[in-house]
Amino acid sequence: MSCLFPDPPTEATLADARRVLNDTQTSVLEITSKIDAAEAALAEIVKESKYVISEMQKERARLEEQAFQTRAYLSPIRRLPTKLLRDIFMWSFEEYSCCAWVLAGVCVPWRRLALKMPKIWSKIRLLTTQHASADTIRLWLERSGDSVPLDIEIFLRVTGSESLSRRRRHSLSLSPPPSPPPWPVFSHHQGITSHYVIPHPPGTGIAILPPPHTPIVLPPSPGGHDTWIASPHPSTERVMPSSSRSSLHWGHIATYYLVEQMHRWERFIFRFDKQFTSMSALKSINGDAPLLKEFEVSSAEAAFYPEWQWLPNASATASLVLPKLDTLTLQYTPFKWSSPMLRTNLRTLNLRALPTSHLPLDRILYIIANNPALESLTLHFQGVLSAILPLVPTTLQSVKTFNIGGHYILSQLVDSLILPSLDNLTLDIDARDPIEEIISNLLSRSNNPHLIHLSVAYGSSSSSTFYYGPSGIVISWTTLLTELTHLKSLHIGGTPLEPLLTALGPPDDETNQMSTWACPKLESLGMRNCHAHSEGVAKLVQMVEGRNPDSAPGNVAQAVGGVSPVKLKALELYDCASLGQDVVQWLKGRVDEVVCTEPAYDR
């Protein structure tokens, strides 16, 4: 200010200053007005430019869409004859049973063609809940026409927490993940194909989910939201409501649609993890099925069921038309021992009876004897009564796989069977007699078939009574295993660890009196709940070292009597002993696949 006006101020200089201030403020207002006008003009120019750019972008998008449609029109696949495109659809169907949903969602011409091909809709692979619409089944059946044989697999999840870990891939690829489980699932919902991963089912002993690499479809929920989408984090998982109107009637609606097409069933598999509200609808499964080859209804939960009047409960005098049925599986569902369905010359029979079912032993044998062509036989009965009629020795020439578990009286059933072709044996019964005698006598009666797989008490039971006779003496593993010269896989549960490992160890061991290797072809060994004493871990190391010596050149397993054991490839120990990290690392250096879990009391 001192440069504009003299100091100190006078009346004259103050008047000049007031005049200058008024002029300056007037100039500021004029310049501000000009700036506002310039900015307004610029904004108008920007607005006009943006509008022009927007119009050009729209035109570009239109031209790009036109180019895309033109390229699509020029695409070689457009020139494919319909017959060849049908062949491609059929090849896809042979590889992926649910491809029809994806093919029908590609474009209008493909959808029209897919809907004209009932064959590619003939395999139903559905993972669902009671809260999903049963119309998915109706739609699938309608698209399969009225004459094509049906291959049906439906898996109903009833548990309260029905969340799935989800991996969304924005792709139409139908390739399953490289690892075996978890199982791949494809959801077709509002034109989007999503890839999900189903977690392993809880340890129930019964699988209620699809086999590995089985592509299946998840239905959309009635409200338009995918009920199976969930966060991978437990804290944010959504739990389905425990009841709803749809869940009350799902079974009745779905079963109605399915039974209506029963004359076309070729395979029918229905599995559920526990009882559900409309479960009684299964009693509607009745009538003739002239094409049916495989039938299965399985529950993972043992519960009380009434005796439904359905196919497995048919009267002994009923006339059922099931000429092609060769595979039957009933797990925790009601059946009658005299039903014609159980005497149709089956090749595969799998029965897991309800806990409330108590059949006399001779009637179980009656079921077996009426199917002389059996190749695979699986029986599990928790309640069994003594035989009413004498048990007759029964020969099953073709049985290769025999699995039996449950009540101790079933050991008498084993003593009545002759299985000359047996190569896979699973025993999970509460035997009162030494188990090695039951196995040895069975093999001896059967002319010593080449047993490849043996499993004893390796299932859900953890009882050690499988290995104790009336006197409480542990069975002689040495005697039994020496006879199994062709055995490749051995799974044992509930036995003391040391005697088993001693029998499988080197024959020249001081505590091993064998003159040759036991099970020289053994490649896989699994042990569950086999309690170990002080020398258990040492015996394990000695056994592995004897069968899998150091990989240095020239190191091979010791030959005894001209026989050397093959290399052990897989070793599993569940709740057996605390090995220590050093021992586990050593085992992994000798055996290709090693799985160990510590006993609960050590955790």
Side-chain angles (χ1 to χ4, degrees):
M1 294 296 293
S2 59
C3 62
L4 295 177
F5 304 102
D7 203 18
T10 63
E11 290 292 336
T13 58
L14 290 174
D16 290 339
R18 292 188 184 96
R19 179 179 52 79
V20 170
L21 177 60
N22 289 335
D23 294 342
T24 302
Q25 289 177 338
T26 301
S27 299
V28 169
L29 291 175
E30 292 177 354
I31 293 176
T32 300
S33 178
K34 291 180 181 179
I35 291 174
D36 291 342
E39 288 180 343
L42 178 61
E44 186 65 24
I45 294 173
V46 171
K47 180 180 178 181
E48 292 177 358
S49 299
K50 286 184 176 180
Y51 175 78
V52 172
I53 293 173
S54 175
E55 290 298 312
M56 290 189 293
Q57 288 175 338
K58 291 179 181 179
E59 179 66 13
R60 181 180 65 181
R62 186 187 66 79
L63 293 173
E64 288 177 344
E65 176 64 19
Q66 180 178 337
F68 174 80
Q69 296 293 344
T70 305
R71 284 196 299 269
Y73 180 78
L74 295 173
S75 175
I77 201 168
R78 288 273 188 174
R79 302 193 293 273
L80 281 178
T82 302
K83 184 180 183 303
L84 184 54
L85 191 58
R86 282 177 176 269
D87 291 340
I88 293 174
F89 280 19
M90 288 304 302
W91 295 336
S92 300
F93 170 70
E94 291 172 3
E95 190 72 20
Y96 307 105
S97 26
C98 295
C99 69
W101 293 95
V102 177
L103 297 175
V106 172
C107 60
V108 173
W110 281 33
R111 180 178 182 81
R112 290 173 181 164
L113 180 58
L115 294 178
K116 292 179 181 178
M117 298 179 64
K119 178 66 177 178
I120 65 174
W121 300 94
S122 63
K123 289 185 178 181
I124 295 179
R125 302 291 185 268
L126 183 64
L127 174 62
T128 187
T129 73
Q130 301 174 88
H131 312 289
S133 174
D135 280 343
T136 304
I137 297 175
R138 175 190 58 79
L139 184 62
W140 215 320
L141 292 171
E142 287 179 355
R143 293 181 178 182
S144 68
D146 54 10
S147 61
V148 178
L150 295 174
D151 184 343
I152 302 168
E153 294 183 16
I154 298 176
F155 308 92
L156 179 66
R157 296 293 297 273
V158 191
T159 50
S161 177
E162 296 168 338
S163 303
L164 296 180
S165 301
R166 178 187 172 204
R167 294 178 186 172
R168 180 178 291 276
R169 296 181 181 179
H170 298 289
S171 168
L172 293 179
S173 171
L174 288 175
S175 301
S179 57
W183 296 278
V185 181
F186 300 95
S187 171
H188 184 75
H189 178 51
Q190 296 181 348
I192 301 175
T193 298
S194 305
H195 185 199
Y196 296 82
V197 174
I198 301 178
H200 292 273
T204 62
I206 301 178
I208 59 97
L209 288 181
H213 298 310
T214 299
I216 62 181
V217 165
L218 299 176
S221 64
H225 301 286
D226 195 336
T227 59
W228 293 88
I229 295 176
S231 166
H233 305 290
S235 60
T236 57
E237 288 185 351
R238 294 192 303 170
V239 179
M240 296 302 302
S242 59
S243 64
S244 66
R245 292 190 62 184
S246 62
S247 66
L248 294 176
H249 307 292
W250 183 92
H252 297 285
I253 299 171
T255 306
Y256 171 78
Y257 293 141
L258 292 167
V259 172
E260 200 175 35
Q261 301 296 324
M262 193 168 171
H263 62 282
R264 293 201 287 141
W265 289 3
E266 191 173 65
R267 290 179 71 245
F268 180 82
I269 295 176
F270 179 67
R271 300 176 185 174
F272 51 99
D273 54 1
K274 63 186 299 184
Q275 296 185 84
F276 56 99
T277 310
S278 51
M279 187 175 57
S280 60
L282 294 176
K283 65 183 179 183
S284 301
I285 301 177
N286 216 334
D288 298 334
L291 304 181
L292 187 62
K293 296 180 181 178
E294 181 178 354
F295 181 85
E296 175 183 347
V297 177
S298 295
S299 171
E301 179 185 63
F304 174 77
Y305 299 87
E307 289 196 357
W308 305 319
Q309 292 305 312
W310 66 326
L311 280 178
N313 271 344
S315 169
T317 58
S319 177
L320 298 182
V321 179
L322 300 168
K324 297 185 178 181
L325 185 64
D326 62 14
T327 301
L328 176 62
T329 299
L330 300 170
Q331 300 196 92
Y332 289 145
T333 52
F335 62 87
K336 285 184 178 179
W337 64 276
S338 57
S339 171
M341 191 179 199
L342 272 68
R343 43 185 172 89
T344 54
N345 210 24
L346 300 169
R347 290 191 298 109
T348 300
L349 177 61
N350 183 346
L351 296 178
R352 180 179 288 264
L354 293 168
T356 54
S357 173
H358 293 79
L359 280 179
L361 196 61
D362 57 304
R363 291 181 175 173
I364 300 176
L365 186 59
Y366 172 87
I367 297 174
I368 299 172
N370 276 278
N371 293 281
L374 280 171
E375 297 176 5
S376 175
L377 175 60
T378 300
L379 302 172
H380 192 280
F381 289 81
Q382 295 183 29
V384 181
L385 301 177
S386 298
I388 299 174
L389 300 175
L391 298 181
V392 178
T394 302
T395 300
L396 300 173
Q397 291 286 349
S398 303
V399 167
K400 295 183 178 180
T401 301
F402 179 41
N403 304 324
I404 188 167
H407 200 275
Y408 72 91
I409 295 182
L410 289 172
S411 61
Q412 299 177 25
L413 179 67
V414 178
D415 291 338
S416 301
L417 296 178
I418 302 172
L419 310 174
S421 300
L422 184 67
D423 63 19
N424 189 320
L425 175 62
T426 298
L427 294 177
D428 200 358
I429 55 179
D430 186 9
R432 301 297 173 88
D433 297 322
I435 199 71
E436 81 275 18
E437 293 184 8
I438 297 175
I439 299 174
S440 296
N441 291 340
L442 173 62
L443 298 178
S444 179
R445 283 193 312 275
S446 304
N447 198 24
N448 296 312
H450 294 170
L451 197 64
I452 296 176
H453 171 76
L454 174 63
S455 175
V456 183
Y458 196 70
S460 58
S461 176
S462 60
S463 171
S464 61
T465 58
F466 294 88
Y467 304 99
Y468 289 83
S471 60
I473 304 300
V474 178
I475 70 171
S476 172
W477 285 114
T478 301
T479 303
L480 176 62
L481 297 181
T482 304
E483 301 173 357
L484 306 179
T485 56
H486 295 86
L487 198 68
K488 293 184 178 181
S489 174
L490 177 63
H491 291 149
I492 301 295
T495 186
L497 197 63
E498 289 85 347
L500 174 61
L501 296 176
T502 298
L504 292 172
D508 61 346
D509 190 278
E510 295 180 359
T511 60
N512 192 340
Q513 302 302 319
M514 294 187 300
S515 59
T516 185
W517 282 95
C519 307
K521 296 184 179 180
L522 188 66
E523 297 179 351
S524 175
L525 174 62
M527 294 165 283
R528 187 185 300 273
N529 296 315
C530 295
H531 54 280
H533 297 295
S534 57
E535 297 184 356
V537 178
K539 291 294 183 182
L540 176 64
V541 171
Q542 292 172 13
M543 184 273 293
V544 172
E545 188 174 24
R547 289 179 174 267
N548 293 21
D550 194 301
S551 58
N555 281 5
V556 295
Q558 176 188 1
V560 178
V563 177
S564 295
V566 301
K567 183 179 179 181
L568 194 65
K569 297 179 180 179
L571 177 64
E572 300 177 0
L573 291 95
Y574 298 104
D575 300 333
C576 293
S578 298
L579 303 183
Q581 191 61 33
D582 54 342
V583 176
V584 172
Q585 291 300 322
W586 183 88
L587 291 173
K588 290 182 177 180
R590 296 294 183 100
V591 184
D592 295 340
E593 299 179 15
V594 176
V595 179
C596 296
T597 63
E598 295 185 354
Y601 58 81
D602 286 338
R603 292 198 188 108

